Amino acid sequence: MGITGKTKVVGLFGYPVAHSFSPQMHNAAFRQLSLDYCYVPFPVNPDRICEAAAAVRALSLAGVNVTVPHKQGVIAYLDELSSEARLIGAVNTIVNKEGRLVGYNTDGQGFVRSLRTDAGFDPKGKSLILLGAGGAARGVAVQLALAGTRKITIVNRTPKKAEEIVQVINEHTQAEAEVLPWTAESLAPAVRAAAAVVNTTSLGMHPREEEAPPLETDLLVPGTLVADLVYNPVRTLFLQKAEAAGCQTLSGLGMLLHQGAIAFELWTGCTAPIQVMRDALTKELKN
Ligand code: ATR
């Protein structure tokens, strides 16, 4: 890639950032479309996000992705928030609009786009179950609600966190949300009625690939869509069990890809070259 004085710089603020696949995914996309951009990971210490946000303006970066631990803390240093970022209370993408920093959250949008384009599943009017109530669950739940999901049931080891998400959805969106305890008795009817079940917990993520969320997969009705936000491994134990129970499955790789594609589109105004980005991610996951 030939970097010149005209090259626009985007990147990633997080801590750590060394494990991220986003540089490969975005730089492959810039090359494919011959866009004069480059994507650079920046390790930003937990207490230095204020200076990092100021540096976006000072260095005229075109924008950045934001990841753990800065997704919430960065909001205080932005000029404007998109409606979904405000509801989610977290930002994963910043666009520098002539010195004004605008925060977006493309994580949940990436999941919804993956549901539609990778699984052929439109959440509009449907009932979904989310396992887990952390930051990822919140982004996905809010975006599902904004996409017209009828009912969202959240199940979490720590019910209080699920209740907070449910409150946001019930107060600010048209969707109906509820918390259920994580027991087979209470889950059985909800799982039977759900069109999709989504694991948003980290259970099953590399290197603990032998773990899976504690949901008896014999509760699952064949044909139900089972999605995992975990993308490493691409086929988690949870997805393997769901497949064995006759369910359609969706890997978290699609959400990772599409959250990046939406950020790419916000920065460049160009349609993201999805296949090239998917190939770059797949190659990194095999390494
Ligand atoms: P992320 O931003 O990826 O969502 P997080 O905010 O730390 O990460 O949330 C992790 C989610 O995985 C939470 O729902 C967490 O449950 P608790 O809220 O009860 O902590 C869930 N999780 C992680 N390890 C778990 C385990 N061993 N059993 C059940 N749930 C687990």
Side-chain angles (χ1 to χ4, degrees), residues 100-115:
R100 281 185 63 74
L101 303 188
V102 185
Y104 299 84
N105 194 311
T106 72
D107 287 327
Q109 293 180 53
F111 179 70
V112 171
R113 205 188 264 193
S114 176
L115 274 183

Side-chain angles (χ1 to χ4, degrees), residues 81-121:
L81 280 186
S82 65
S83 51
E84 86 286 340
R86 193 172 307 117
L87 274 186
I88 296 166
V91 157
N92 82 326
T93 302
I94 297 171
V95 180
N96 182 358
K97 297 187 178 176
E98 292 168 358
R100 281 185 63 74
L101 303 188
V102 185
Y104 299 84
N105 194 311
T106 72
D107 287 327
Q109 293 180 53
F111 179 70
V112 171
R113 205 188 264 193
S114 176
L115 274 183
R116 291 198 174 116
T117 63
D118 300 329
F121 179 98

Side-chain angles (χ1 to χ4, degrees), residues 135-191:
R138 191 174 168 116
V140 163
V142 166
Q143 205 63 48
L144 282 170
L146 295 176
T149 302
R150 189 177 62 79
K151 186 168 177 187
I152 299 171
T153 301
I154 306 182
V155 186
N156 195 43
R157 180 177 60 179
T158 314
K160 190 172 174 295
K161 286 208 255 166
E163 277 152 20
E164 285 165 16
I165 303 176
V166 160
Q167 192 180 353
V168 170
I169 290 173
N170 286 336
E171 280 180 14
H172 298 282
T173 77
Q174 303 291 317
E176 177 195 341
E178 65 171 12
V179 182
L180 276 187
W182 207 324
T183 61
E185 307 82 72
S186 72
L187 276 181
V191 169

